[in-house]
């Protein structure tokens, strides 16, 4: 797997394949035969696609995230040992505009995707691990259920009808029971994996970090403990980005990264700013220096993530005296 910061040099005759994914179809274009074809996005279509691509032996196969429709294709190609890469749709669209390609269709999108890896660094997609996929799905489902219960709680607060209020309460009770069932399933999954259990123990030893935050980091930030502080913050979307031009020095902002990580980490930081000695002192120092509350809290999120990254890296439980 190559670095995101380096452009891999391919042979001039290297073949690239772009696959535009929809719920029903796979539009495929390869730069060797300059051929477009449409296959069904199902087991039959994916089997035929794998056979063709194994014979073609492309240097890169590019797909863009399509709301989950691409999952089966990415998993199937990766398991077949093919060099599949999943890229950000916004990057692909910007790339198309930069090349003067303003029209958009499934066929054109497949062609643009095939042209993409020769100019833009791409990261090979690892073969998915069933347990990791299961954990991510469970964490996603937990978040959905919690959001649904919050919505019902808000409706209950504004409800005037006695019958409707009772109905909402019954729905809330059901959602609460389902949330507990999902949490139990997550707990069982973590207990069956010694490495995950240890990482959860390390993460929750830090004041402010609860099980939900730990589960989210395990599911959506598996690189935790394997990257340096700059890369892990950038991956989570917590690295401040410059906005400078000439003599103008713009306001640094954070964006992109993995949004699913930032929500639970934000809640953990709120708690840590009150109960975690290192984060509390850091937060107070920033406020005293005149930093806006949101800016100070974002900086604390970044610091907490760096601390957790270091703890996991060195397999250490929380120790206030050794906090970086």
């Amino acid at each position: 797997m190559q670095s995101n910061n380096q452009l891999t040099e391919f042979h001039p005759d290297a073949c690239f394949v772009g696959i535009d994914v929809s719920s029903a179809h796979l539009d495929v274009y390869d730069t060797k035969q300059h051929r477009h074809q449409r296959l069904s996005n199902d087991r039959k279509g994916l089997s035929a696609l794998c056979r063709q691509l194994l014979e073609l032996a492309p240097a890169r196969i590019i797909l863009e995230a399509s709301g989950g429709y691409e999952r089966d294709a990415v998993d199937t190609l990766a398991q077949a040992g093919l060099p599949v890469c999943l890229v950000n749709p916004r990057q692909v669209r910007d790339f198309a505009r930069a090349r003067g390609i303003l029209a958009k269709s499934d066929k054109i999108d497949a062609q643009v995707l095939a042209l993409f890896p020769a100019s833009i660094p791409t990261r090979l997609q690892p073969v998915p691990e069933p347990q990791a996929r299961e954990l991510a799905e469970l964490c996603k489902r937990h978040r959905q259920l919690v959001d649904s219960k919050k919505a019902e709680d808000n409706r209950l607060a504004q409800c005037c009808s006695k019958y409707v209020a009772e109905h909402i309460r019954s729905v809330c009770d059901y959602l609460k029971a389902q949330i507990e069932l999902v949490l139990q399933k997550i707990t069982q999954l973590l207990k069956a994996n010694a490495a995950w259990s240890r990482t959860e123990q390390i993460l929750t030893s830090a004041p402010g970090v609860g099980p939900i935050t730990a589960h989210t980091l395990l599911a959506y930030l598996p690189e935790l403990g394997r990257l340096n502080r700059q890369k892990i913050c950038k991956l989570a979307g917590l690295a401040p980005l410059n906005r400078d031009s000439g003599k103008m020095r713009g306001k640094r902002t954070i964006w992109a990264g993995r949004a699913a990580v930032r929500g639970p980490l934000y809640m953990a930081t709120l708690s840590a700013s009150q109960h975690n000695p290192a984060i509390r002192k850091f937060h107070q120092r920033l406020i005293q220096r005149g930093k806006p509350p949101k800016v100070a809290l974002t900086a604390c999120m970044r610091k907490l993530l760096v601390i957790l990254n270091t703890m996991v890296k060195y397999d250490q439980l929380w120790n206030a005296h050794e906090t970086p």
Side-chain angles (χ1 to χ4, degrees), residues 113-133:
L113 287 166
L115 296 172
F116 189 81
S119 303
I120 308 296
T122 52
R123 180 189 291 270
L124 292 178
Q125 195 73 10
V127 177
E129 297 181 4
Q131 277 192 323
R133 173 63 56 77

Side-chain angles (χ1 to χ4, degrees), residues 25-139:
H25 300 109
L26 301 169
D27 286 270
V28 185
Y29 183 87
D30 71 86
T31 60
K32 184 176 182 179
Q33 304 173 86
H34 302 286
R35 181 183 66 169
H36 168 264
Q37 62 175 322
R38 170 169 281 190
L39 301 170
S40 58
N41 189 5
D42 55 22
R43 184 175 299 177
K44 182 179 178 181
L46 288 172
S47 297
L49 179 61
C50 271
R51 289 195 298 270
Q52 293 179 22
L53 294 181
L54 286 170
E55 292 179 6
L56 193 60
R60 287 289 185 272
I61 303 166
I62 307 297
L63 300 88
E64 61 182 8
S66 303
Y69 292 129
E70 80 290 346
R71 182 180 300 164
D72 288 343
V74 171
D75 291 355
T76 301
L77 296 173
Q79 288 170 354
L82 289 162
V84 60
C85 305
L86 190 64
V87 297
N88 189 316
R90 182 177 60 245
Q91 285 183 296
V92 177
R93 200 65 206 143
D94 290 344
F95 172 75
R97 292 193 186 100
R99 293 182 63 94
I101 303 173
L102 303 181
K104 192 179 189 306
S105 69
D106 294 339
K107 181 178 179 180
I108 292 173
D109 288 349
Q111 293 176 353
V112 170
L113 287 166
L115 296 172
F116 189 81
S119 303
I120 308 296
T122 52
R123 180 189 291 270
L124 292 178
Q125 195 73 10
V127 177
E129 297 181 4
Q131 277 192 323
R133 173 63 56 77
E134 179 75 5
L135 179 61
E137 289 286 345
L138 285 169
C139 288

Side-chain angles (χ1 to χ4, degrees), residues 157-219:
Q158 300 174 5
C159 180
C160 298
S161 167
K162 182 178 180 181
Y163 171 80
V164 173
E166 288 299 321
H167 188 274
I168 292 176
R169 288 191 186 95
S170 67
V171 173
C172 287
D173 291 341
Y174 172 78
L175 290 172
K176 184 178 179 180
Q178 291 301 308
I179 290 171
E180 290 299 321
L181 287 175
V182 172
L183 284 175
Q184 289 176 15
K185 184 63 177 178
I186 292 174
T187 301
Q188 292 172 5
L189 195 62
L190 294 180
K191 285 183 178 179
N193 187 308
W196 282 350
S197 295
R198 176 57 180 171
T199 301
E200 182 189 26
Q201 182 185 18
I202 292 170
L203 294 174
T204 54
S205 70
V209 179
I212 301 303
T213 303
H215 299 164
T216 302
L217 292 174
L218 282 166

Side-chain angles (χ1 to χ4, degrees), residues 224-266:
L224 194 69
R226 303 175 188 173
L227 302 177
N228 62 33
R229 57 194 300 160
Q230 291 84 7
K231 290 182 178 179
I232 201 69
C233 289
K234 188 174 182 180
L235 205 57
L238 291 173
L241 304 178
N242 296 356
R243 293 179 58 86
D244 301 336
S245 180
K247 294 182 180 180
M248 189 272 289
R249 294 295 178 267
K251 186 177 181 180
R252 272 53 174 167
T253 56
I254 62 169
W255 67 290
R258 299 178 185 173
V261 172
R262 290 195 297 275
L265 191 61
Y266 173 82

